[in-house]
């Protein structure tokens, strides 16, 4: 047997291998889960207690001599760590304090780790994804001219000693923003009000640093779980906030270029291909009541219409696409302006707005004499058009005289007016 | 087969903290994941404990699962990792380990090259039994590489060994499995 066959043999045997469910397994698991929850609750209480204790202790000890010493520590620290990274920077201050040295050592190890990590990552990072700005400049600006922007970011990685120390002891001075779940390609602004760097881990494991006291606009290009946190002094990552980024639905809008008169109505057909079942349709940014993938719009008035389809995923992420159509004339029931009672063409020999024959609508049409507004003709049936006879005297109206027609609809379409009017001329 | 929308419902229920959904998820994957655990830890009680720990992690981490990849694969990796942690932690536990350095290179068991038996299929139980006879070091690498599809690089990182050790442990695991199967089926043939 070849060696690879062993792999295949075992993979085949065990790939779908499943053991029967053990009775009582869930109940026993449930017990363990409850226990582990109550334990973590206990730890949480202990943690809070420890934190409170630490704060009060630190407060009492540091009250008097903190300010100056810390400032000095910071200066020395920053210079020291920068000089470790870049030989172009020279250290100008000596380490006068043993304690400071000790802390330096720890921080430098941490810094170096971080820098390695970041340098590794920066190769992959897309620059356009992140826009950072500092909203509070630090007192020391030891930045050499040959540092590029990524490296500049790293210069500000140096955590503020005091806060970081407090963090290690108490875990409560951190000020980490929280985020709701987002959609892909959204941009979030992360305000890092801490004096240490925050790290945003993307679903693919990339790390984006948000330097101390700065704001970063980050475009969320990946879907999945993002974690925001920071590096602790022992080099481990402390998760603080999590949020998810969901993908946007796919959407492709197909729409008529010109209006058609289906059933006598001015119609635009539109259809979307979308990964989601429901679509929101908007006309000129107003949401319509339509929500199916294939739909049509009746555009009654002259003008420009922007029709947009919006697809929303279960998670609330949207994709939209819009197209604009120009309607060149007001809809007027497709009425002709002239008719000829002597024509052999039935469509020409009588008058009734064409749309009334096509549409399933109840209406009343009257034809008026413009001279005295007397009613020449009246109908409510699409099968009973005006033949040109004046009902007042039973005679054919004179040619080349414009008569007024008015139609009122009792059940107009949504968005349609109920009254139409125009003129009609009998020709010879 | 993973029914995605069915699963999604269960997962969403779990995220809302619904016990019924948690139970459904647990029962849905119990059998498969128990099989995974037993590949790493042959003692059933310990495997059961590891499985429970693994499921607690699954419920904790559920909110970061994004439904992009296979959910089963995701759970499987968590369970496998939990099992490895357990082996590492219980190094001195005789049920778990026969070596001091679990994942370090072991002395090669010389294999008898003769009398190889051609097999085209083995039953899951036979495969499980053979795997359980491997030392934890060989067994773990074999499981991760062959059944969990990890690369040698990933395995090396997970176990804190170097890539070369991972490769050679895999080779030795396969040689040992071959030998175990040979012995098993030699009797049957005779």
């Amino acid at each position: 047997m070849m060696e690879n066959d062993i792999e295949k043999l075992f993979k085949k045997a065990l790939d779908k291998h499943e053991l029967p469910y053990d009775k009582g397994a869930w109940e026993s698991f449930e017990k363990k889960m409850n226990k582990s929850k109550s334990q973590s609750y206990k730890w949480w209480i202990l943690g809070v207690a420890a934190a409170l204790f630490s704060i009060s202790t630190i407060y009492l000890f540091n009250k008097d001599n903190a300010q100056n010493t810390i400032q000095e520590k910071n200066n020395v620290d920053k210079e020291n760590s920068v000089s470790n990274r870049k030989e172009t920077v020279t250290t100008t201050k000596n380490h006068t304090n043993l304690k400071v040295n000790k802390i330096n050592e720890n921080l430098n190890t941490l810094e170096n780790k971080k820098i390695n990590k970041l340098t590794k990552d920066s190769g992959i990072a897309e620059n356009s994804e992140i826009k950072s700005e500092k909203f509070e400049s630090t007192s020391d600006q030891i930045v050499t001219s040959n540092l590029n922007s990524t490296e500049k970011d790293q210069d500000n990685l140096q955590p503020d000693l005091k806060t970081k120390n407090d963090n290690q002891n108490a875990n409560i001075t951190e000020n980490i923003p929280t985020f709701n779940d987002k959609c892909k390609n959204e941009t979030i602004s992360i305000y890092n009000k801490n004096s240490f760097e925050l790290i945003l881990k993307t679903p693919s494991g990339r790390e984006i640093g948000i330097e101390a006291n700065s704001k970063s606009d980050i475009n969320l290009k990946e879907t999945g779980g993002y974690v925001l946190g920071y590096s602790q002094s022992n080099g481990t990552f402390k998760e603080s906030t999590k949020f998810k980024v969901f993908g946007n639905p796919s959407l492709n809008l197909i729409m008529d270029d010109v209006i058609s008169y289906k059933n006598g109505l001015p119609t635009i057909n539109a259809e979307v291909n979308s990964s989601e079942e429901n679509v929101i349709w908007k006309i000129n940014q107003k949401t319509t009541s339509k929500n199916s993938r294939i739909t049509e719009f009746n555009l009654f008035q002259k003008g420009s219409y922007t029709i947009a389809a919006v697809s929303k995923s279960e998670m609330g992420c949207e994709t939209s696409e819009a197209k604009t159509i120009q309607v060149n004339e007001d809809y007027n029931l497709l009425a002709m302006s002239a008719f000829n009672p002597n024509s052999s063409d039935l469509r020409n020999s009588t008058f009734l707005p064409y749309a009334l024959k096509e549409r399933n609508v109840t209406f009343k049409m009257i034809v008026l004499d413009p001279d005295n507004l007397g009613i020449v003709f009246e109908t409510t049936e699409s099968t009973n058009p005006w033949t040109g006879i004046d009902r007042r005297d039973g005679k054919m109206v004179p040619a080349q005289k414009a008569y007024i027609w008015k139609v009122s609809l009792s059940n107009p379409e949504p968005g349609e007016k109920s009254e139409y009017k125009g003129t009609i001329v009998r020709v010879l | 087969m993973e029914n995605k929308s069915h699963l999604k419902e269960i997962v969403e229920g779990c995220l809302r903290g619904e016990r019924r959904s948690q139970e459904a998820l647990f029962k849905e994957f119990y059998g498969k994941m128990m099989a995974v655990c037993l590949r790493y830890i042959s003692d059933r009680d310990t495997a059961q404990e590891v499985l429970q720990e693994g499921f607690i992690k699954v419920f904790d981490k559920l909110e970061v699962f994004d439904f992009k990849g296979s959910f089963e694969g995701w759970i499987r990796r968590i369970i496998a990792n939990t099992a490895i942690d357990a082996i590492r932690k219980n190094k001195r536990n005789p049920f778990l380990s026969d070596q001091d350095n679990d994942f370090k290179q072991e002395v090669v068991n010389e294999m008898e090259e003769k009398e190889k038996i051609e097999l085209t299929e083995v039953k899951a139980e036979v495969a499980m039994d053979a795997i359980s006879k491997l030392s934890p070091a060989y067994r773990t690498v074999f499981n991760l590489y062959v059944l969990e599809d990890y690369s040698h690089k990933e395995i090396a990182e997970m176990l804190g060994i170097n890539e070369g050790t991972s490769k050679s442990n895999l080779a030795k695991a396969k040689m040992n499995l071959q030998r175990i199967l040979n012995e098993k089926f030699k009797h049957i043939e005779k």
Side-chain angles (χ1 to χ4, degrees):
Chain A
M1 201 180 336
M2 296 292 290
E3 273 187 7
N4 269 349
D5 291 344
I6 280 275
E7 287 186 22
K8 276 186 204 153
L9 199 64
F10 277 78
K11 205 171 170 60
K12 195 173 156 194
L14 296 175
D15 221 14
K16 300 265 179 272
H17 184 44
E18 189 173 348
L19 292 164
Y21 179 73
D22 292 316
K23 211 182 158 197
W26 164 252
E27 287 71 20
S28 137
F29 173 67
E30 210 177 9
K31 258 184 221 159
K32 179 159 181 160
M33 199 161 53
N34 290 340
K35 208 171 138 194
S36 97
K37 259 193 192 155
S38 69
Q39 266 174 357
S40 67
Y41 188 62
K42 272 182 215 156
W43 281 113
W44 191 80
I45 292 177
L46 276 175
V48 171
L52 288 174
F53 178 75
S54 306
I55 299 164
S56 52
T57 317
I58 289 165
Y59 180 72
L60 287 173
F61 272 94
N62 287 357
K63 204 176 172 185
D64 297 329
N65 62 347
Q67 222 38 47
N68 291 335
T69 332
I70 285 158
Q71 191 52 48
E72 199 181 336
K73 276 179 196 169
N74 278 340
N75 291 344
V76 176
D77 260 355
K78 277 181 184 164
E79 287 165 21
N80 189 40
S81 68
V82 171
S83 74
N84 276 355
R85 280 177 264 151
K86 286 270 157 193
E87 284 171 2
T88 44
V89 180
T90 48
T91 311
T92 53
K93 287 190 186 175
N94 292 322
H95 301 232
T96 50
N97 189 324
L98 249 175
K99 213 169 153 194
V100 175
N101 271 335
K102 179 101 180 168
I103 301 162
N104 265 338
E105 264 172 41
N106 293 339
L107 279 169
N108 284 336
T109 340
L110 165 72
E111 282 305 282
N112 287 337
K113 268 188 199 162
K114 263 194 210 164
I115 287 154
N116 285 340
K117 229 195 269 172
L118 274 169
T119 324
K120 207 168 78 188
D121 289 336
S122 59
I124 326 162
E126 292 158 68
N127 288 333
S128 60
E129 191 175 345
I130 312 152
K131 202 183 134 215
S132 307
E133 60 186 69
K134 289 194 101 180
F135 52 76
E136 196 181 290
S137 65
T138 53
S139 53
D140 295 287
Q141 289 293 346
I142 314 163
V143 178
T144 52
S145 58
N146 65 337
L147 294 176
N148 63 29
S149 64
T150 332
E151 285 164 330
K152 272 182 197 166
D153 289 344
Q154 288 167 16
D155 271 339
N156 295 304
L157 288 175
Q158 182 64 53
D160 180 293
L161 253 178
K162 182 172 179 288
T163 326
K164 198 70 182 175
N165 260 345
D166 284 355
N167 260 317
Q168 282 150 23
N169 293 333
N171 256 342
I172 64 140
T173 46
E174 60 183 60
N175 182 348
I176 309 221
T178 55
F179 295 95
N180 295 330
D181 291 343
K182 302 281 171 201
C183 300
K184 198 180 168 190
N185 296 327
E186 258 186 76
T187 298
I188 55 166
S189 295
I190 301 181
Y191 290 87
N192 183 4
K193 293 180 180 162
N194 303 287
S195 43
F196 50 88
E197 188 206 27
L198 291 182
I199 296 167
L200 180 68
K201 285 194 176 179
T202 72
S204 69
R206 225 147 42 73
E207 297 184 356
I208 300 169
I210 301 107
E211 61 180 271
N213 296 314
S214 73
K215 176 198 150 196
S216 272
D217 293 332
I218 294 166
N219 186 258
L220 304 167
K221 292 191 169 172
E222 295 176 26
T223 56
Y226 279 73
V227 182
L228 184 62
Y230 55 87
S231 259
Q232 297 178 114
S233 60
N234 62 7
T236 57
F237 180 73
K238 166 88 177 1
E239 284 187 9
S240 297
T241 356
K242 286 178 189 169
F243 61 94
K244 277 200 273 188
V245 173
F246 296 104
N248 299 316
S250 64
L251 183 78
N252 180 25
L253 171 65
I254 304 157
M255 202 174 88
D256 290 348
D257 295 333
V258 287
I259 225 159
S260 62
Y261 293 94
K262 195 170 123 194
N263 302 325
L265 283 166
T267 308
I268 280 292
N269 294 299
E271 182 180 349
V272 289
N273 292 322
S274 167
S275 53
E276 300 297 320
E277 200 57 52
N278 287 332
V279 178
I280 299 162
W281 291 97
K282 293 182 179 179
I283 294 189
N284 294 342
Q285 297 180 353
K286 274 188 191 157
T287 305
T288 67
S289 58
K290 297 178 193 296
N291 58 12
S292 57
R293 290 194 203 182
I294 301 175
T295 193
E296 52 185 42
F297 299 96
N298 299 131
L299 306 176
F300 297 107
Q301 281 167 332
K302 184 176 164 179
S304 170
Y305 295 86
T306 300
I307 294 179
V310 184
S311 198
K312 206 171 187 174
S313 71
E314 271 176 67
M315 302 301 173
C317 294
E318 282 185 3
T319 307
S320 69
E321 194 182 338
K323 285 193 172 155
T324 301
I325 184 167
Q326 198 65 39
V327 177
N328 296 324
E329 54 186 6
D330 284 345
Y331 172 68
N332 205 21
L333 299 177
L334 307 175
M336 292 179 297
S337 55
F339 75 115
N340 179 3
N342 300 321
S343 169
S344 57
D345 186 343
L346 276 176
R347 288 173 299 179
N348 248 344
S349 60
T350 58
F351 173 74
L352 186 81
Y354 179 69
L356 296 176
K357 295 176 190 165
E358 293 288 307
R359 291 177 60 172
N360 177 22
V361 69
T362 52
F363 68 92
K364 182 182 172 186
M365 179 181 82
I366 50 173
V367 178
L368 300 169
D369 185 336
D371 297 338
N372 48 32
L373 296 181
I375 295 176
V376 176
F377 178 74
E378 189 175 328
T379 181
T380 55
E381 298 293 327
S382 62
T383 50
N384 179 24
W386 184 39
T387 53
I389 301 293
D390 186 336
R391 74 169 186 189
R392 290 170 300 181
D393 56 14
K395 287 179 186 163
M396 181 64 73
V397 295
Q400 308 304 344
K401 183 177 171 183
Y403 284 80
I404 300 164
W405 62 265
K406 280 186 175 176
V407 168
S408 47
L409 304 177
S410 58
N411 57 341
E413 293 294 316
E416 185 187 13
K417 60 183 180 180
S418 60
E419 299 255 345
Y420 287 88
K421 62 185 174 197
T423 55
I424 180 74
V425 172
R426 185 203 138 196
V427 292
L428 283 172
Chain B
M1 277 289 283
E2 278 186 30
N3 179 338
K4 274 214 166 175
S5 65
H6 164 67
L7 254 181
K8 206 169 177 178
E9 261 172 43
I10 296 184
V11 170
E12 278 163 6
C14 291
L15 287 173
R16 289 191 294 269
E18 290 167 12
R19 266 294 146 97
R20 200 190 288 174
S21 303
Q22 290 179 334
E23 185 176 349
L25 189 84
F26 180 86
K27 288 186 172 168
E28 175 102 24
F29 289 101
Y30 180 87
K32 279 179 186 159
M33 296 309 138
M34 189 64 183
V36 172
C37 277
L38 282 170
R39 274 184 229 149
Y40 291 85
I41 298 157
S42 29
D43 175 62
R44 208 176 163 107
D45 288 343
T46 316
Q48 181 102 33
E49 267 176 42
V50 166
L51 184 66
Q52 292 187 342
E53 260 171 55
F55 265 110
I56 289 177
K57 284 186 196 163
V58 167
F59 287 132
D60 274 352
K61 292 185 177 179
L62 209 51
E63 57 183 313
V64 298
F65 183 72
D66 63 353
F67 286 95
K68 286 266 148 144
S70 147
F71 186 62
E72 187 182 322
W74 181 75
I75 292 192
R76 184 188 286 257
R77 287 198 162 202
I78 293 180
I79 301 289
N81 274 309
T82 312
I84 290 163
D85 285 345
I87 297 172
R88 201 181 273 133
K89 248 189 265 169
N90 297 292
K91 220 151 67 169
R92 311 242 169 255
N93 185 336
F95 286 113
L96 287 174
S97 164
D98 53 358
Q99 298 279 327
D100 237 14
N101 286 322
D102 281 320
F103 305 119
K104 294 272 154 58
Q105 202 161 348
E106 292 180 5
V107 184
V108 194
N109 286 312
E110 281 306 319
M111 158 142 179
E112 302 139 42
E113 286 291 315
K114 41 191 169 164
E115 291 189 67
K116 275 194 181 177
I117 293 165
E118 296 285 341
L119 291 171
T120 50
E121 203 171 344
V122 289
K123 281 193 171 160
E125 291 69 28
V126 175
M128 289 292 280
D129 185 53
I131 288 176
S132 75
K133 289 192 171 113
L134 294 174
S135 73
Y138 293 177
R139 188 197 302 157
T140 308
V141 172
F142 182 83
N143 283 335
L144 289 174
Y145 186 85
V146 177
L147 301 165
E148 251 70 78
D149 293 323
Y150 280 97
S151 68
H152 282 299
K153 195 177 170 211
E154 289 170 312
I155 296 171
E157 274 170 19
M158 279 169 82
L159 303 181
I161 58 177
N162 61 44
E163 262 187 83
T165 311
S166 176
K167 282 179 192 167
S168 83
N169 279 2
L170 175 70
K172 286 169 210 158
K174 290 199 287 193
M175 275 160 67
N176 282 346
L177 287 172
Q178 175 82 69
R179 187 171 48 83
I180 293 163
L181 291 183
N182 273 356
E183 269 168 22
K184 206 171 196 106
F185 291 98
K186 206 159 62 185
H187 299 300
I188 298 168
E189 289 208 342
K190 277 173 187 173

